[in-house]
Amino acid sequence: KVPHHPEQPARASFMLEALQAEEWPNSGKSEAIFREAPRGTDEHVLLYHTEKHLAGFKSKCSKAEAFYRNKKKTNFIAYDSDTQVMWGTGEASFRACGAMIAAVDSVFLPSDDPAHVDTAYCCTRPPGHHAERGVAQGFCFFNNAAIGARYCQNRYGASHGIKKVAVLDFDVHHGNGTEEGFIHDDTLFYGSTHEKDNYPGTGTDPSPHVGER
């Protein structure tokens, strides 16, 4: 981890510990189920991001991982002052993507399937909503919500009639990366609540009504 950096592994472990300590009401089938996130694939990432973006990210990850193996210390490969790749960033990012894919699949399983869930929460870092299709920024490398929206359409569009997907973003920051990829696509809706003038300075009112048509 980067000393004193606000994007820390402890953020995910703190959330997971709080969730595991919660007394969940019984749904009639089972209590809350905790599952390890599988690793997403290049194909999943490319549902939203460009090939150039994926290749650049994997290259930075490879350099950071090689430095760590050879020098036995952490090296940071920077996109910018906030967004930096270290030896574990690639695995964490692909698993965050994989968590979204697994969550979507679990929701769409038949209701009598033991692995089915009605709702799913992905306790993952790095986050995603600042990542544009070709840009990593704001601690974000892969836009997991956007990948999940596209996966939902592609995987379950024909079988379940999923034509339009909404992403509702509750955060102090505007999810510029999600809006960037949704704004010209009528099959995707993006709605955001965020603090005005906070990072990254986008999403001012009136903002384009993404997916309204």
Side-chain angles (χ1 to χ4, degrees):
K1 63 183 180 179
V2 182
H4 311 299
H5 197 285
E7 176 59 12
Q8 295 281 348
R11 295 180 71 168
S13 59
F14 177 83
M15 289 189 293
L16 184 59
E17 289 169 7
L19 289 169
Q20 290 174 332
E22 184 73 23
E23 292 186 7
W24 297 94
N26 195 300
S27 66
K29 183 170 61 174
S30 65
E31 303 242 346
I33 301 169
F34 292 87
R35 300 172 183 166
E36 181 178 344
R39 199 176 195 278
T41 66
D42 288 2
E43 289 72 23
H44 293 146
V45 175
L46 292 174
L47 289 170
Y48 188 71
H49 293 286
T50 65
E51 292 186 2
K52 182 178 179 181
H53 175 71
L54 176 60
F57 175 71
K58 291 174 70 174
S59 175
K60 288 184 185 317
C61 290
S62 294
K63 291 177 182 177
E65 290 162 6
F67 189 90
Y68 181 76
R69 288 194 302 270
N70 296 331
K71 303 294 184 180
K72 304 303 180 184
K73 61 185 291 187
T74 301
N75 186 46
F76 305 102
I77 312 296
Y79 280 97
D80 53 45
S81 60
D82 288 328
T83 313
Q84 305 184 41
V85 171
M86 58 174 285
W87 64 268
T89 302
E91 183 70 11
S93 297
F94 274 100
R95 284 188 177 269
C97 170
M100 174 60 72
I101 300 301
V104 172
D105 284 338
S106 296
V107 169
F108 278 97
L109 284 171
S111 58
D112 59 351
D113 190 303
H116 168 82
V117 296
D118 294 321
T119 59
Y121 174 77
C122 301
C123 181
T124 60
R125 305 299 293 187
H129 71 165
H130 293 308
E132 299 180 3
R133 288 169 295 178
V135 180
Q137 57 188 312
F139 311 158
C140 303
F141 305 99
F142 298 154
N143 196 313
N144 303 308
I147 291 170
R150 280 298 190 205
Y151 177 76
C152 185
Q153 289 176 320
N154 288 5
R155 176 68 176 83
Y156 298 101
S159 60
H160 290 72
I162 305 301
K163 298 179 180 179
K164 192 166 188 173
V165 178
V167 171
L168 305 180
D169 192 341
F170 301 90
D171 197 282
V172 70
H173 303 118
H174 174 238
N176 58 300
T178 314
E179 182 168 298
E180 181 263 347
F182 282 27
I183 195 167
H184 298 298
D185 191 326
D186 290 343
T187 71
L188 298 169
F189 176 89
Y190 176 70
S192 174
T193 61
H194 52 272
E195 185 177 289
K196 184 178 182 294
D197 298 328
N198 211 321
Y199 179 90
T202 55
T204 55
D205 188 23
S207 185
H209 300 285
V210 181
E212 186 178 67
R213 291 171 292 174

